[in-house]
Amino acid sequence: MPPTPRQPSRTPVRSSGWTIGRVAGAPVVLAPSWLLAAVVLTVMFAPTVRARFPQLGGFTYLVALVFVVLLFASVLVHELAHGLVARSRGQQPREFVLTLWGGHTSFDGAASTPLTSALVGIAGPLANLVLAALAWALAQVVAPASLSALILYAAAFANAFVAGFNLIPGLPLDGGRVLEALVWAISKDRHRGTIVAGWAGRVVAVGVLAWALLLPLLQGRSPELFGVVWSALIGAFLWSGATAAVKGGRSQRAVAGLTVAAVGTPAVAVPHAGTVAQARAAAAAAGVHELVVVSPDGRPAAYVDLAALAAVPAEVAGTTPVTAVAVPLPYGAVVDGARTGRALLDDLARAGGMSPVVVAVLDGRVQALVRVTDVVAAIRS
């Protein structure tokens, strides 16, 4: 059950479901899909209970449900382990969610070091290994053929399986988090770690389905439809998470390398009292095309519409005010041209909420025009 997301959430959105408590300042949410998982797992475990204890009759499903509740309690412990270790390392959990696929933990901040990321990732599986050992030890002290022994052995196996499966090195699994941290530590590039671990997760996703199809064939039997369908669903979930990790790693790498020079178009300032002819002369002298009209106090107040500028005949350019071909800018549609990476993106997001075109200013002078569409295209590419 992977702790997600790795990067800080700029617009936190709570998962839908029922809040059943709070731990470490974060809500514990029971997603509606958990009910479906509880029903499916209860039905799946009931035949095992019936085969061992046919005398239970109608209580068979109640016993199976008890096991399912214990299983999801183990999942909750897994997620709480992620969150508590993260909090001890400076990451605040945002929510713990129990879902159809088990659960996930999300945070308000990213891991600051590879070690922190690895420790948070491995905490969940280690918690399950402890629970597996505890369940196994308790099973040794109860009657061997009792109902309690069956539930304890099942809990031990389930926790061991959850721990082992999650330690597979590929995102979105916890082992993928450890692999990501390892590549990050070696390459000094967090985003390379994410991309490598995401591709590893894609391999795991394909492997899950291949295992369900090929293993029975190698054993000389036909694959079971239920097993293939279930493996396909798990594989699809893993593929989706791995693909999101790869895209996220590439996107974050693009964000980290974001500069005004990469997404902006060089511009020069012209006074608001100037004419079209003066604006054209200023652009030619600076070797740029974009023009920003500044107010008397030096504040960027508008940008010149190049199509409108070109449409002004030369014979009237000297008497046509540049403001006649300018598009007003709202106050605050300005960013610091010295900023880079996430800080620049945050400033662009703020300013871009006021205007689709933003002026970058460096040391008090107009540096460039930045269009929101160009920023989006640069990150996507």
Side-chain angles (χ1 to χ4, degrees), residues 116-165:
T116 294
S117 185
L119 289 175
V120 172
I122 205 170
L126 286 181
N128 285 119
L129 288 176
V130 171
L131 291 176
L134 180 61
W136 184 270
L138 290 175
Q140 309 310 305
V141 299
V142 300
S146 66
L147 188 60
S148 298
L150 173 64
I151 293 178
L152 287 170
Y153 278 123
F157 172 80
N159 275 281
F161 174 79
V162 168
F165 185 74

Side-chain angles (χ1 to χ4, degrees), residues 164-209:
F165 185 74
N166 271 278
L167 285 174
I168 295 175
L171 288 173
L173 298 173
D174 297 324
R177 184 77 59 226
V178 177
L179 175 61
E180 175 190 49
L182 179 62
V183 175
W184 175 11
I186 294 173
S187 67
K188 311 302 180 185
D189 185 343
R190 177 201 295 266
H191 312 305
R192 177 176 295 178
T194 303
I195 294 170
V196 169
W199 274 103
R202 284 176 165 176
V203 173
V204 172
V206 174
V208 167
L209 182 57

Side-chain angles (χ1 to χ4, degrees), residues 179-268:
L179 175 61
E180 175 190 49
L182 179 62
V183 175
W184 175 11
I186 294 173
S187 67
K188 311 302 180 185
D189 185 343
R190 177 201 295 266
H191 312 305
R192 177 176 295 178
T194 303
I195 294 170
V196 169
W199 274 103
R202 284 176 165 176
V203 173
V204 172
V206 174
V208 167
L209 182 57
W211 176 80
L213 290 171
L214 297 180
L215 183 61
L217 294 176
L218 293 175
Q219 295 176 341
R221 56 188 177 86
S222 299
E224 295 181 0
L225 179 60
F226 179 81
V228 172
V229 172
W230 191 247
S231 297
L233 289 173
I234 294 175
F237 166 74
L238 294 176
W239 180 273
S240 175
T243 299
V246 172
K247 290 182 178 179
R250 290 172 175 168
S251 176
Q252 291 300 325
R253 172 178 282 175
V255 169
L258 197 66
T259 64
V260 168
V263 295
T265 305
V268 66

